[in-house]
Amino acid sequence: MSPGHQLWHSRRALACMCIRISGPTSSSACPTCLQTRWSKTFGTRPKRPCLFPMLAQDRIDPLTLKEMLEGIREKAEVPLSVQSLRFLQLELRDMEAFVNQHKSKPIRRQTVITTMATLKKNLADEDAVSCLVLGTENKELLVLDPGAFTILAQMSLPSVPVFLEVSGQFDVEFRLAAACRNGNIYMLRRDSKRPKYCIELSAQPVGLVRVHKILVVGSNQDSLHGFTHKGKKLWTVPMPAAILTMNLLEQQSRGLQAVMAGLANGEVRIYHDKALLNVIRTPDAVTSLCFGRYGREDNTLIMTTRGGGLLIKILKRTAVFVEGGGEAGPPPAQAMKLNVPRKTRLYVDQTLREREAGTAMHRAFQADLYLLRLRAARAYVQALESSLSPVSATAREPLKLHAVVQGLGPTFKLTLHLQNVSAARPIVGLRVCFLYNEVLYALPRAFFKVPMLVPGLSYPLETFVESLSDKGISDIIKVLVLREGQSAPLLSAHINMPVSEGLAAA
């Protein structure tokens, strides 16, 4: 029995389903309206220079037009329109009728979508609004607004994109990875109109998946490659057959992200980095994969096969992927010979010295290590006795304090995040006290009460600090958390205040 049968529930194969999109020639839509809508959205542009309008004004003849179009086709960066290419294929006797038919029509060069992806607009939540990212045949990437479907961003590529991987949010920061037909992967950032990094592959890509901060690329040389976003190659894993499709497996309950690769021999292999987690054997070669929520099941794998079948497998809720469970034996890197450098004279002298004075060197090292441990223990005990730690050391009041300073000055916003880290017991009767230099700073309240702290929640306590000095100096503000009726603080924090830039500029 294959390893995949131990982790997945199988469903009977169903008939393959196909979704067709009505094009401009559909009888249910007006071709002119669809062409106008496409032109407004994807930015089709007239041919440069506009030669057919010159025919309408009788400024050139068809033979001159043919010569000019051939020169544009050889030298211009923008490809010719379909109408111009059709004109170049005609015989001399048919050119006059073709020109009379099309000389008054606008010349447009339509593009074709080659790949699509989604990009979160401003939130990273699962149900947040997403923008559509399109890769087109004219070597461009377009980011569309989710409401009006207008172009929010437009980027150019050296080649036609075939695979896209998107991370981040459009309004904050995002990164695009585009695998193109020239065998390269280009990296683009939010404010870049051109690629920032380029990953040159040794073969054509057949799949692109991002796992955390690693780009996993499948090539037509039957192998998976791992790259960083800056193009550094991390690892390579050979496959037993050609890769047909790739996708991401994300098990959110266990925080697992892995790569699924459908092979031509009927296997679906699941890899975490270069470690094989599981192998699923199917009756036919898998051509597409999708993992996610299906009905009430959060972890469902849906596969379509080359013969038109639909396979559904549900991951068991008690299943645990174990690295190295699919293949036995040492890794291939273990058989590689290391390039060990030659022994130098300095290395030989140091080896002889360690042999002769090894005992004395070890004793000196141990003495320094014991002294370091003693100093660290004394500093830790002193911090606990004086409550200088931002985390409470007592089991009765388990607290954690975190402070954040915002602003440029002279007025700063000071936010204290106080959290009760106990399991189930709330804490009441706490006070917060600020100790500061009254010559440099002024606070509206230097002592106030803290509400009841529910376990597990972080309570923000806000106050404002006004800088009184115009000499560009700063000081430390001490924050003490006290228990009512006790003189010793439960915990404390020292806040290094920034220099007031407002007073310094004035």
Side-chain angles (χ1 to χ4, degrees), residues 220-251:
N220 60 359
Q221 292 181 343
D222 304 345
S223 58
L224 289 177
H225 308 278
F227 294 91
T228 64
H229 286 283
K230 293 187 178 180
K232 181 181 178 181
K233 192 173 185 179
L234 300 177
W235 45 264
T236 299
V237 178
M239 296 286 109
I243 301 174
L244 300 181
T245 181
M246 292 175 56
N247 211 329
L248 177 67
L249 184 149
E250 184 175 7
Q251 191 179 8

Side-chain angles (χ1 to χ4, degrees), residues 343-355:
K343 297 180 181 179
T344 61
R345 183 62 184 175
L346 178 61
Y347 173 79
V348 175
D349 293 343
Q350 288 289 354
T351 304
L352 294 176
R353 175 177 171 270
E354 291 177 0
R355 288 179 181 177

Side-chain angles (χ1 to χ4, degrees), residues 132-173:
L132 192 62
V133 183
L134 305 178
T136 62
E137 190 72 30
N138 57 350
K139 306 175 184 180
E140 289 182 340
L141 292 178
L142 307 175
V143 181
L144 303 185
D145 184 83
F149 289 98
T150 56
I151 298 178
L152 299 178
Q154 186 172 1
M155 291 160 273
S156 301
L157 293 173
S159 182
V160 179
V162 290
F163 298 104
L164 276 178
E165 268 299 325
V166 183
S167 61
Q169 297 91 42
F170 179 80
D171 292 339
V172 183
E173 179 65 29

